Amino acid sequence: MDTQTLIYIFVGLTFALYIGIAIWSRAGSTSEYYVAGGGVHPIANGMATGADWMSAASFISMAGIISFIGRDGAVYLMGWTGGYVLLAMCLAPYLRKFGKFTVPEFIGERYYSQAARVVAVVCVIFISFTYVAGQMRGVGIVFSRYLEVDINAGVLIGMAIVFFYAVLGGMKGITYTQVAQYCVMIFAYMIPAIYISMLITGNPIPQLGFGGTLSGSDTYLLDKLNGLSQELGFSQYTGGSKSTVDMFFITMALMVGTAGLPHVIVRFFTVPKVSDARKSAGYALLFIAILYTTAPAVASFARVNLLETVSEAEYQELPDWFESWENAGLLAWKDKNADGKIQYQAGKPFEGKPAFDSEARGASEERLVTNQATDNGNELYVDRDIMVLANPEIAQLPGWVVALMAAGGLAAALSTAAGLLLVISTSISHDLLKSNIMPNIDEKKELLAARLAAAAAICVAGYFGINPPGFVAQVVAFAFGLAASSFFPAILMGIFYKKMNKEGAIAGMVSGLVFTFAYIIYFKFVNPAANTADNWFFGISPEGIGTLGMLLNFVVAIAVSKVTAPPPEHIQHLVEDIRVPRGAGAPVADH
Amino acid sequence: MSNKKQAAQAYWKENLKLLLTLLVVWFAVSYGCGILFVDALDAIKIGGFPLGFWFAQQGSIYTFVILIFVYTARMNTLDRKYDVHEE
């Protein structure tokens, strides 16, 4: 069977599985729709959280990014895992004990204020839409690469699938589909990684092979990589180029942001007990760590492979995969010195993404690029995503592995999109409609509203997927920065600082949010030319500014709470109550 | 102050102590070994890994997983000790 047929079969089978699960687990009540009835096993919840968390970016792009930035890639590796420690110890068990459906609901009740709840709802919707737009685009890209359909058609198919299980099954449907998606995704990631590790280092465990020697020599892989990188003018792979301050702040912003992201927090409302919430955070991180410790290994294997294969190679002698990815537009070569060999060095070969001259071919039969060449010696354009996508071909794996990759990439994008869409629909139906606009609607109508909101959110997300705002990639920093500077401090102080009051919390959230928002907007959109280390506050880039926003939030909140009235007695009792595990029932609606 | 209230306060105090201890480890491994002292640690090599690089890309993640499971086990013990565990 050819690879294309296998891809159709694999993707078709996984889709049938997801739809089957959705029909089996459809939600009948708001509790099932919002938090899967609170009866999810901690291991299942761990897997679902893993799938929810790991997006198309983790699956496809992360290893590629690390491949190009070497040690600095640790900001993502540590930043996107370390937050689970904070979540497990500082937030999840207490929020589970609180026993409601949404994050804004906690903020609203703990700070006895509808205004606080509305501020929280606005943040949730903004953060989640920012994030989901990128996911729908990811779905479209995977479709167009593997199924040979147009990106827009891919987005529409993805929308239809998510529509099915998010609208029908709510959190319950999403949770069980995510468990299946986690399995598909991790399998698809590990198999090529194990093969390529054996191929390059002879060790079947990528995490160890990464620190081992290259097959058939006694040079360590990382030494070889450092040597090659230096020879070609790149910085050392195991040495960083970001400043220590910036590394520190970016890592902190990503960690704290992770712990404050509503679609992650809400997953811990679905387990039966407080102790399960702790345990399930552990499982979630374990399942995430399998992929996250493999990614840097894959990054280094792919890097060594690329450098050794292409550097100073005759174009016509290159392996077949070079040509197929060149045809896909992810590789491009501009023979600046017309020697027929590829010079791959530091610097951009030309400005922007490659624009190809239709079917015209150059002297060595390469696809001609029309971009204006830069005056450095680099001739090769490499899209970062190729580092993972091309692995099966580089390792010469059979067609079914390529098909598995396609199914895995789709699972990663769809599971994250579904989790985010659910959070959006919940915020609208529960926090805005039920709590503010129409407090008297009954459960049936609320459920219907939640489904309609989910359907509408899918359409909006799909629109962004088809017409992506040019800044999608840039605004991801927003989601983390805003979560770090708004939710995390507000929830943390809500649990650990009994005297924190309404005035302090609102002032803190607003100042953290406004500061972070303004800083990112200024450097990313208003004055991007000034976005260099010299102009940043204390050398902190916009990616890391959420950390400063968080500190500002703490300082303002505490200062304001000192000069205003303490929270009422019953709120202080509420805080004492959530600190003790006993008595956590199934989540219930308020009113 | 009633006995129950005192017990609740003692429980919370022990909880905070455990939390702080684990967070110190969390910080030391990731921000300490992986960022602040990474260059010094890179002088030491374990197999093919410069140690600082290993902490930044592998070791810190393993430590995070272990930390959560240690926390879970210790909290379960603590919950029973103060009789606040769930039935």
Side-chain angles (χ1 to χ4, degrees):
Chain A
M1 236 185 289
D2 70 336
T3 307
Q4 201 55 44
T5 320
L6 282 166
I7 291 177
Y8 283 121
I9 294 176
F10 271 58
V11 172
L13 280 178
T14 52
F15 279 12
L17 175 68
Y18 306 151
I19 292 177
I21 294 174
I23 293 173
W24 164 73
S25 61
R26 39 184 204 284
S29 66
T30 48
S31 166
E32 284 186 346
Y33 192 89
Y34 294 143
V35 294
V40 180
H41 189 276
I43 294 185
N45 189 47
M47 284 190 187
T49 311
D52 203 332
W53 179 236
M54 293 187 284
S55 57
S58 296
F59 189 88
I60 298 171
S61 309
M62 194 173 63
I65 294 174
I66 298 169
S67 213
F68 285 86
I69 63 177
R71 190 180 79 194
D72 289 348
V75 295
Y76 303 111
L77 294 167
M78 294 196 286
W80 286 337
T81 52
Y84 280 86
V85 176
L86 296 174
L87 200 56
M89 298 183 191
C90 305
L91 311 182
Y94 307 105
L95 291 174
R96 175 61 194 86
K97 174 67 197 293
F98 179 68
K100 292 289 168 61
F101 292 154
T102 69
V103 173
E105 202 170 1
F106 173 78
I107 304 257
E109 200 149 317
R110 166 63 182 82
Y111 295 116
Y112 45 99
S113 154
Q114 276 299 330
R117 187 166 178 173
V118 172
V119 171
V121 173
V122 172
C123 293
V124 166
I125 293 177
F126 185 81
I127 292 171
S128 304
F129 264 122
T130 309
Y131 219 112
V132 82
Q135 296 306 318
M136 292 316 276
R137 191 71 188 163
V139 172
I141 290 172
V142 176
F143 263 109
S144 70
R145 252 174 229 168
Y146 286 111
L147 300 183
E148 293 171 347
V149 295
D150 167 68
I151 291 194
N152 295 351
V155 171
L156 290 174
I157 300 173
M159 280 167 67
I161 299 285
V162 175
F163 181 87
F164 212 85
Y165 62 78
V167 172
L168 204 65
M171 189 55 135
K172 200 171 160 202
I174 286 177
T175 302
Y176 294 107
T177 8
Q178 280 172 339
V179 171
Q181 283 163 334
Y182 175 79
C183 298
V184 172
M185 186 197 300
I186 204 71
F187 214 62
Y189 203 81
M190 294 310 291
I191 287 182
I194 290 170
Y195 268 106
I196 205 161
S197 178
M198 300 230 309
L199 192 75
I200 293 184
T201 67
N203 192 326
I205 303 170
Q207 285 86 342
L208 299 177
F210 177 32
T213 54
L214 292 160
S215 305
S217 85
D218 29 304
T219 319
Y220 284 114
L221 171 88
L222 290 169
D223 288 342
K224 175 84 180 177
L225 198 45
N226 280 337
L228 280 174
S229 304
Q230 245 169 351
E231 218 173 280
L232 300 175
F234 296 99
S235 55
Q236 280 224 9
Y237 190 80
T238 61
S241 52
K242 277 194 169 72
S243 74
T244 304
V245 176
D246 205 24
M247 285 287 284
F248 191 99
F249 274 81
I250 296 178
T251 308
M252 184 72 91
L254 294 179
M255 279 196 195
V256 175
T258 302
L261 280 175
H263 73 285
V264 177
I265 296 179
V266 75
R267 291 237 47 103
F268 296 95
F269 295 6
T270 65
V271 293
K273 293 193 295 185
V274 173
S275 56
D276 290 338
R278 299 177 190 139
K279 210 189 294 171
S280 117
Y283 282 117
L285 186 58
L286 177 67
F287 294 136
I288 292 168
I290 296 174
L291 193 147
Y292 270 60
T293 52
T294 306
V298 168
S300 66
F301 300 149
R303 185 75 183 159
V304 144
N305 211 319
L306 180 77
L307 292 180
E308 287 203 311
T309 312
V310 303
S311 188
E312 293 299 324
E314 297 268 354
Y315 176 83
Q316 285 168 326
E317 314 270 290
L318 287 169
D320 290 342
W321 59 262
F322 191 95
E323 197 190 328
S324 58
W325 290 99
E326 187 186 19
N327 288 336
L330 294 185
L331 286 172
W333 176 52
K334 199 170 182 96
D335 195 5
K336 292 180 184 169
N337 58 1
D339 64 351
K341 288 182 184 170
I342 293 179
Q343 273 80 41
Y344 182 40
Q345 298 162 8
K348 290 180 188 168
F350 40 75
E351 285 306 324
K353 298 225 166 219
F356 293 101
D357 184 8
S358 62
E359 292 308 307
R361 295 279 165 169
S364 310
E365 295 295 302
E366 81 275 18
R367 285 186 83 184
L368 280 180
V369 182
T370 55
N371 305 49
Q372 183 63 44
T374 49
D375 53 11
N376 60 36
N378 182 22
E379 301 181 341
L380 186 69
Y381 169 88
V382 188
D383 188 296
R384 291 163 166 185
D385 291 351
I386 198 174
M387 293 303 197
V388 169
L389 294 173
N391 258 345
E393 288 160 284
I394 296 174
Q396 296 177 331
L397 299 181
W400 65 267
V401 181
V402 180
L404 194 58
M405 285 289 282
L410 284 170
L414 290 175
S415 56
T416 307
L420 289 160
L421 289 166
L422 187 88
V423 165
I424 296 172
S425 81
T426 311
S427 310
I428 294 172
S429 65
H430 194 62
D431 293 315
L432 281 183
L433 206 62
K434 170 87 176 168
S435 139
N436 280 306
I437 305 170
M438 298 162 68
N440 296 323
I441 65 173
D442 61 23
E443 194 182 324
K444 248 191 169 145
K445 288 221 182 77
E446 190 186 340
L447 191 58
L448 179 68
R451 290 196 156 119
L452 290 175
I458 290 170
C459 294
V460 176
Y463 174 83
F464 283 129
I466 291 170
N467 306 299
F471 50 87
V472 162
Q474 315 224 346
V475 289
V476 174
F478 258 149
F480 285 92
L482 296 184
S485 62
S486 60
F487 288 130
F488 181 77
I491 301 173
L492 191 76
M493 288 185 293
I495 298 161
F496 288 86
Y497 187 47
K498 224 190 295 181
K499 295 260 151 56
M500 181 48 61
N501 60 9
K502 160 170 91 176
E503 290 82 0
I506 296 178
M509 273 201 286
V510 170
S511 48
L513 209 60
V514 168
F515 170 77
T516 308
F517 194 80
Y519 194 87
I520 298 179
I521 290 278
Y522 179 77
F523 283 115
K524 290 285 187 186
F525 303 108
V526 178
N527 193 358
N531 194 5
T532 59
D534 303 333
N535 298 320
W536 296 337
F537 274 159
F538 313 112
I540 304 167
S541 60
E543 285 75 22
I545 202 66
T547 308
L548 210 57
M550 168 189 79
L551 295 174
L552 184 71
N553 182 333
F554 278 124
V555 170
V556 170
I558 291 170
V560 170
S561 73
K562 293 274 180 215
V563 297
T564 43
E569 195 71 5
H570 74 273
I571 295 296
Q572 303 198 27
H573 287 307
L574 172 84
V575 177
E576 278 164 16
D577 183 59
I578 60 175
R579 290 176 176 182
V580 176
R582 179 166 292 170
V588 286
D590 50 0
H591 309 293
Chain B
M1 206 187 289
S2 71
N3 271 341
K4 214 177 147 199
K5 208 164 179 191
Q6 258 172 348
Q9 275 186 355
Y11 167 76
W12 185 244
K13 235 179 163 172
E14 274 203 55
N15 178 355
L16 288 182
K17 209 173 118 197
L18 173 65
L19 183 73
L20 283 178
T21 319
L22 295 177
L23 285 182
V24 167
V25 178
W26 167 80
F27 187 86
V29 170
S30 51
Y31 295 91
C33 302
I35 297 177
L36 298 174
F37 304 113
V38 65
D39 291 321
L41 287 175
D42 274 350
I44 306 166
K45 288 192 82 174
I46 307 276
F49 286 117
L51 190 59
F53 175 83
W54 182 79
F55 268 110
Q57 297 211 339
Q58 298 273 302
S60 52
I61 303 177
Y62 300 136
T63 314
F64 296 153
V65 176
I66 296 167
L67 281 175
I68 301 185
F69 282 106
V70 169
Y71 171 76
T72 306
R74 297 285 291 275
M75 281 308 282
N76 284 343
T77 320
L78 201 62
D79 288 352
R80 285 183 188 281
K81 180 176 161 194
Y82 285 93
D83 192 32
V84 290
H85 60 282
E86 299 146 292
E87 288 77 26

